[in-house]
Amino acid sequence: LLAAYVVPVGDAELSSRELRLFLGARLPRYMVPGSVTVLGTLPQTSSGKIDRKSLPAPDRVTGNASEAPRSELESVLCEAWKEVLGVSAVGIHDNFFDLGGHSLMAMKIASEVRRAHGTELPIALLFEAPTVAQLADQLHEMGQGTEATPDGRSDTVHLKF
């Protein structure tokens, strides 16, 4: 989880949401902290450095799982995200980076998919399609991750890369 600790200047009142929106307009999405904590002052050690051990634990962002997976591919991706990101729920429209994901976690997602299914997930694709639904759609467009069912539907059965 990429976390930020902020101390407002003067009497400025800031909220975590406002700061994330501000940063989201100026930084690539994967660089926006998943957690922003506003503090009155930063704790310091006796030598004047920031005392990281005294910082409050960042709020753990969780997905809202507002829309359940519609296919096996989306289910597989949601489970991989839950495992790697350490969240209890992931909906198909939750953003990987909003849930605290970053480039190293993207590699873990690819590794988890490879371990669980013996297939390769292009890491760059996760940056281009940061939600489960977008990623699954991209894989379908690439002709990957789908297999026709006996009745002719193209439900996702196995990840194929």
Side-chain angles (χ1 to χ4, degrees):
L1 175 68
L2 182 58
Y5 295 90
V6 179
V7 177
V9 176
D11 295 334
E13 291 189 28
L14 303 171
S15 73
S16 296
R17 184 178 185 284
E18 290 172 331
L19 287 169
R20 290 188 79 243
L21 289 172
F22 175 82
L23 293 172
R26 288 161 178 78
L27 296 172
R29 190 163 189 111
Y30 64 90
M31 294 179 77
V32 176
S35 171
V36 177
T37 304
V38 180
L39 300 173
T41 61
L42 292 172
Q44 295 183 348
T45 64
S46 59
S47 63
K49 295 181 180 181
I50 295 175
D51 185 359
R52 293 179 184 201
K53 293 179 182 175
S54 296
L55 289 169
D59 294 331
R60 192 72 185 154
V61 179
T62 59
N64 61 25
S66 60
E67 191 170 337
R70 304 166 294 190
S71 67
E72 188 173 327
L73 176 58
E74 288 181 349
S75 293
V76 166
L77 293 172
C78 282
E79 287 302 315
W81 287 24
K82 284 175 20 182
E83 175 75 23
V84 170
L85 295 170
V87 296
S88 59
V90 173
I92 63 170
H93 298 297
D94 287 334
N95 186 291
F96 176 75
F97 301 105
D98 289 348
L99 294 177
H102 50 72
S103 58
L104 292 175
M105 286 188 172
M107 292 179 3
K108 287 181 180 180
I109 292 286
S111 177
E112 178 67 19
V113 170
R114 184 182 322 109
R115 182 196 63 75
H117 301 281
T119 59
E120 297 294 324
L121 172 68
I123 294 171
L125 193 56
L126 188 54
F127 288 85
E128 297 167 15
T131 70
V132 168
Q134 291 171 335
L135 186 57
D137 288 346
Q138 287 292 321
L139 291 171
H140 284 293
E141 285 180 22
M142 293 168 52
Q144 300 173 0
T146 61
E147 184 174 288
T149 59
D151 63 1
R153 296 186 346 237
S154 63
D155 289 341
T156 302
V157 178
H158 300 285
L159 289 173
K160 292 183 177 180
F161 296 96

